[in-house]
């Protein structure tokens, strides 16, 4: 079997102008980045604003394991299958971050015969969106310290600056730093930190803005710290929101590419789902919905993270109403949730599988809480046995949930026909979509609703710091914002060691970050970090390029 990158490099791509023509777009609607990539001008949305919206399908998954689930692969394969079934379909995905690409995860453009291409470009610098976000973020950081150095007219307390620096790389050495050393000419010394760029509030804002002016408005609302009197200081107080937005004038435009089977694909924005809201941009989703009959999109990690935030944050801010959900599961991952070691996953183990299916059951229950039709996609691996597949199918049917085998990795769109047909049946059902909570409720009530309803926790504990912050946010009027939980992706609970369906546990909130520009509060639970580190053997060690510029090692 060829590697993902070998399959991608052998693909027969169409010029991106032809892909655009399939959607009714002309070359005048595009800003070309070579032959196979383009940004779509924002004028397109103005022209199409009164047009009918497509159906919206969210692809989510069970709790991730090292065995893999294949959510992006399934999203791409499903879009290809739906096109084969005669439905004009677009897939809308996030952009990969260079940190995970060079670290643990490797490439993030799908896999096998269900990929988006050009795969190398998408996984590396693409159209420069993430770099633009990093520069805009760091401009604000530079202006903050310059303001303090130049007399501090706003009275910013250097110990209360909460705006870090960012870099799009996994670099644990930058988590905690000291800046301004070297004497008076070099600034005011203070403690600072770095986050990975995709954890930046600027990334969240870009993905949650409906247009360029809303982007600027949201940037202006960013709280960068507090004065000596405890008053919030915003980006607009530093008069820098215009310059930051100018740096993002191209980044806000959705990126158009294609799949291996020439299905149109929007890839735009890349917030993490364990520390941000984990969805591609509102702009790309809405544009896809104006240009297609069905839009397939995804949300990061398991349904307890990405799907919950897609519903309660993205759909709330964008006014979106999803029509159906696909939950991706693999036999291998379910067996891991049932206690099977990674080196034993190829062996049939029905007892462990049945125990692991409890994880899938919880995610099914959670989607049903939102009133949405759903389909379980079993992402098939060659070593899955018929007995294991039948047990999983039977369990889903007992729960009254449609289930379909997916072989899109090996067969592309053809391998997703069964799944596509089930999704079409789900789209014929009525969506009774509603949010999990009322954002005007008290902060603790919203946090506890998510913890109890989605995670299955018995309750929530708060550190003294979190209690103090809740009181502060209530006094400042930030208590009526939605909640964006920062939690491990490795468990439905806040403890990464608890697999399957954890029970009899409580969630501990150690602190709460304010993202006033993005419009949500971020409770930090467990050992979640906003700057990942590299593993002992980074994926970067396997990536290479030859004299002809041909890249290898990106999966």
């Amino acid at each position: 079997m060829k590697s993902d990158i070998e399959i991608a490099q052998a693909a027969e791509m169409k010029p991106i102008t032809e892909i655009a023509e399939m959607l009714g777009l002309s070359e005048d609607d595009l800003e070309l980045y070579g032959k196979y990539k383009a940004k779509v001008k924002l004028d397109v949305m103005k022209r199409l604003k009164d047009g009918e919206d497509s159906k919206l399908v969210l692809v989510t998954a069970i709790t991730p394991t090292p065995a893999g689930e294949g959510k992006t692969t399934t999203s791409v394969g499903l879009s290809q299958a739906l096109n084969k079934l005669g439905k004009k379909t677009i897939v809308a995905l996030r952009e990969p971050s260079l940190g995970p690409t060079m670290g643990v995860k490797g490439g993030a453009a799908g896999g096998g015969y269900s990929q988006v291409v050009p795969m190398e470009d998408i996984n590396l610098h693409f159209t420069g969106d993430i770099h633009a976000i990093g520069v805009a973020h760091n401009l604000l950081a530079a202006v903050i310290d310059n303001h303090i150095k130049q007399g501090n007219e706003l009275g910013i307390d250097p110990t209360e600056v909460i705006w870090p620096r960012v870099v799009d790389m996994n670099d644990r050495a930058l988590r905690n730093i000291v800046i301004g050393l070297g004497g008076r000419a070099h600034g005011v010394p203070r403690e600072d930190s770095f986050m990975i760029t995709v954890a930046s509030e600027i990334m969240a804002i870009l993905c949650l803005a409906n247009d360029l002016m809303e982007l600027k408005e949201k940037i202006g609302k960013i709280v960068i710290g507090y004065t000596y009197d405890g008053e919030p200081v915003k980006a607009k107080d530093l008069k820098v929101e215009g310059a930051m937005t100018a740096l993002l004038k191209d980044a806000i435009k959705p990126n158009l590419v294609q799949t291996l089977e020439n299905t149109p694909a929007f890839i735009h924005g890349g917030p993490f789902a364990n520390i941000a809201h984990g969805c591609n941009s509102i702009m790309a989703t809405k544009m896809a919905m104006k240009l297609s009959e069905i839009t397939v999109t995804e949300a990061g990690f398991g349904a307890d993270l990405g799907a919950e935030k897609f519903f309660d944050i993205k759909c709330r801010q964008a006014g979106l109403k999803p029509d159906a959900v696909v939950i991706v599961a693999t036999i291998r991952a379910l067996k891991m949730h049932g206690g099977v070691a990674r080196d034993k996953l190829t062996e049939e183990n029905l007892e462990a599988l049945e125990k692991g299916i409890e994880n899938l059951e919880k995610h099914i229950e959670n989607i049903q809480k939102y009133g949405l039709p759903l389909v379980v996609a079993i992402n098939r691996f060659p070593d899955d046995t018929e007995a294991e597949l039948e047990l999983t199918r039977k369990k889903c049917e007992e729960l009254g949930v449609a289930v379909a085998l997916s072989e899109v990795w090996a067969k592309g769109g053809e391998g997703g026909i069964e799944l596509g047909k089930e999704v079409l049946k789900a789209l014929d059902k009525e969506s009774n979509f509603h949010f999990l909570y009322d954002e005007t409720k008290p902060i603790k009530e919203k946090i506890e609703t998510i913890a109890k309803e989605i995670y299955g926790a018995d309750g929530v504990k708060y550190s003294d710091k979190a209690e103090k912050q809740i009181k502060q946010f209530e006094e400042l009027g930030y208590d009526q914002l939605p909640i964006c939980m920062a939690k491990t992706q490795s468990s439905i609970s806040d403890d990464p060691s608890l697999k399957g369906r954890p029970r009899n546990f409580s969630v501990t909130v150690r602190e709460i970050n304010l993202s006033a520009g993005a419009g949500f509060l971020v409770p930090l639970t467990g050992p979640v970090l906003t700057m990942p580190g590299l593993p002992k053997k980074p994926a970067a060690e396997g990536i290479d390029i030859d004299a002809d510029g041909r890249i290898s090692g990106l999966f």
Side-chain angles (χ1 to χ4, degrees):
M1 182 70 181
K2 293 180 179 179
S3 67
D4 287 351
I5 194 167
E6 288 172 335
I7 292 169
Q9 288 172 340
E12 294 185 12
M13 290 185 284
K14 292 183 178 179
I16 200 63
T17 50
E18 291 187 23
I19 301 297
E21 285 174 15
M22 292 164 53
L23 301 175
L25 300 176
S26 70
E27 189 168 340
D28 289 338
D29 293 320
L30 308 178
E31 292 177 1
L32 298 176
Y33 283 67
K35 191 175 181 180
Y36 301 111
K37 299 172 292 182
K39 281 190 168 289
V40 182
K41 296 177 182 177
L42 301 186
D43 289 345
V44 169
M45 277 305 295
K46 295 177 184 176
R47 190 173 76 232
L48 299 175
K49 65 181 177 62
D50 295 326
E52 188 175 345
D53 286 329
S54 75
K55 296 285 189 178
L56 180 60
V57 178
L58 175 71
V59 178
T60 184
I62 61 170
T63 303
T65 70
E69 289 69 51
K71 188 167 66 271
T72 302
T73 301
T74 302
S75 299
V76 175
L78 173 60
S79 70
Q80 294 179 154
L82 289 169
N83 271 309
K84 283 183 175 293
L85 290 168
K87 298 295 182 180
K88 186 179 179 183
T89 304
I90 298 175
V91 63
L93 306 170
R94 293 175 297 164
E95 300 179 45
S97 164
L98 282 174
T101 298
M102 297 293 169
V104 177
K105 200 172 180 183
Y113 288 91
S114 291
Q115 298 185 59
V116 279
V117 285
M119 181 258 221
E120 307 98 304
D121 294 1
I122 292 165
N123 277 309
L124 298 178
H125 302 283
F126 200 23
T127 57
D129 294 345
I130 295 178
H131 295 292
I133 289 165
V135 172
H137 181 112
N138 289 332
L139 168 62
L140 180 54
V143 167
I144 293 165
D145 286 292
N146 182 64
H147 183 89
I148 295 171
K149 166 69 175 64
Q150 301 291 357
N152 199 3
E153 181 183 344
L154 293 172
I156 300 170
D157 184 347
T159 67
E160 291 293 329
V161 174
I162 58 173
W163 191 255
R165 266 82 178 165
V166 296
V167 63
D168 190 33
M169 195 52 60
N170 293 5
D171 193 347
R172 63 170 57 83
L174 293 177
R175 286 174 184 161
N176 299 285
I177 61 171
V178 177
I179 62 172
L181 301 180
R184 185 172 295 178
H186 303 289
V188 177
R190 66 178 182 87
E191 291 186 46
D192 201 0
S193 62
F194 268 82
M195 298 192 304
I196 192 164
T197 303
V198 288
S200 166
E201 186 177 352
I202 303 294
M203 172 63 87
I205 289 172
L206 182 94
C207 290
L208 291 171
N210 284 282
D211 55 47
L212 189 63
M213 288 301 96
E214 186 178 4
L215 174 67
K216 185 167 75 169
E217 180 187 357
K218 286 176 175 289
I219 287 174
K221 292 179 179 178
I222 292 170
V223 173
I224 61 91
Y226 299 89
T227 66
Y228 288 107
D229 296 327
E231 293 298 315
V233 180
K234 301 174 184 177
K236 65 182 178 182
D237 296 326
L238 293 159
K239 301 179 175 63
V240 75
E241 74 272 25
M244 293 169 67
T245 307
L247 289 170
L248 299 169
K249 70 178 180 64
D250 293 319
I252 194 175
K253 300 167 187 171
N255 305 301
L256 179 64
V257 288
Q258 62 191 290
T259 75
L260 290 174
E261 296 180 11
N262 312 120
T263 290
F266 281 115
I267 300 184
H268 193 222
F272 283 173
N274 58 342
I275 48 184
H277 64 288
C279 314
N280 70 292
S281 74
I282 287 174
M283 289 290 298
T285 302
K286 285 191 169 181
M287 192 174 284
M289 291 178 70
K290 293 296 185 186
L291 295 167
S292 66
E293 292 179 82
I294 299 174
T295 295
V296 176
T297 191
E298 68 168 8
F301 295 126
D304 56 314
L305 284 167
E308 186 273 315
K309 294 170 181 179
F310 177 85
F311 299 142
D312 288 315
I313 295 175
K314 179 174 177 177
C315 291
R316 195 189 301 265
Q317 291 205 24
L320 296 174
K321 182 183 177 184
D323 297 284
V325 176
V326 174
I327 302 178
V328 182
T330 63
I331 302 298
R332 296 158 59 91
L334 292 172
K335 286 193 289 189
M336 283 199 84
H337 278 294
V340 175
R342 192 173 183 179
D343 60 354
K344 302 290 186 182
L345 291 176
T346 58
E347 300 173 10
E348 182 176 282
N349 190 328
L350 297 178
E351 183 179 352
L353 175 60
E354 186 161 10
K355 187 172 186 298
I357 286 174
E358 290 186 356
N359 182 272
L360 172 60
E361 289 175 351
K362 177 56 178 162
H363 289 300
I364 289 171
E365 288 174 17
N366 288 347
I367 298 301
Q368 290 173 333
K369 291 176 191 291
Y370 290 93
L372 289 164
L374 68 97
V375 179
V376 171
I378 303 174
N379 185 15
R380 188 171 192 172
F381 277 69
D383 47 38
D384 297 342
T385 69
E386 289 301 323
E388 290 172 330
L389 293 168
E390 183 55 32
L391 174 60
T392 307
R393 187 186 291 274
K394 182 182 176 183
K395 286 289 184 181
C396 291
E397 289 173 350
E398 287 174 359
L399 294 167
V401 174
V403 60
L405 281 183
S406 173
E407 297 180 278
V408 297
W409 183 86
K411 300 178 182 179
E414 193 61 39
I417 295 296
E418 180 185 341
L419 175 60
K421 289 179 178 178
E422 290 297 336
V423 167
L424 291 177
K425 290 178 187 177
L427 290 174
D428 284 336
K429 298 177 182 177
E430 185 179 358
S431 168
N432 296 307
F433 174 68
H434 53 266
F435 302 123
L436 184 70
Y437 57 83
D438 178 349
E439 77 271 26
T440 65
K441 296 293 184 182
I443 293 172
K444 282 189 175 182
E445 183 176 329
K446 290 179 286 194
I447 293 172
E448 287 163 17
T449 297
I450 295 170
K452 292 177 179 179
E453 294 291 325
I454 302 300
Y455 309 155
D458 296 330
V460 180
K461 299 175 182 176
Y462 300 89
S463 70
D464 290 343
K465 182 176 183 179
E467 292 277 10
K468 183 179 177 182
Q469 288 173 317
I470 289 171
K471 185 177 179 182
Q472 179 188 28
F473 296 145
E474 288 173 345
E475 291 172 349
L476 294 173
Y478 290 117
D479 54 321
Q480 295 192 0
L481 296 176
I483 299 298
C484 184
M485 297 290 284
K487 182 184 76 68
T488 178
Q489 69 270 23
S490 301
S491 172
I492 297 177
S493 74
D494 61 344
D495 180 349
S497 68
L498 299 179
K499 306 301 181 186
R501 180 175 185 165
R503 290 180 170 86
N504 305 314
F505 69 94
S506 61
V507 169
T508 300
V509 175
R510 51 187 171 87
E511 63 179 288
I512 302 177
N513 291 339
L514 170 64
S515 293
F520 51 67
L521 294 170
V522 186
L524 274 65
T525 69
V528 172
L529 295 168
T530 56
M531 169 56 84
L534 291 171
K536 187 171 183 179
K537 186 177 174 62
E541 292 183 13
I543 298 171
D544 203 358
I545 189 168
D546 64 19
D548 296 322
R550 192 175 182 85
I551 294 171
S552 59
L554 272 173
F555 268 24

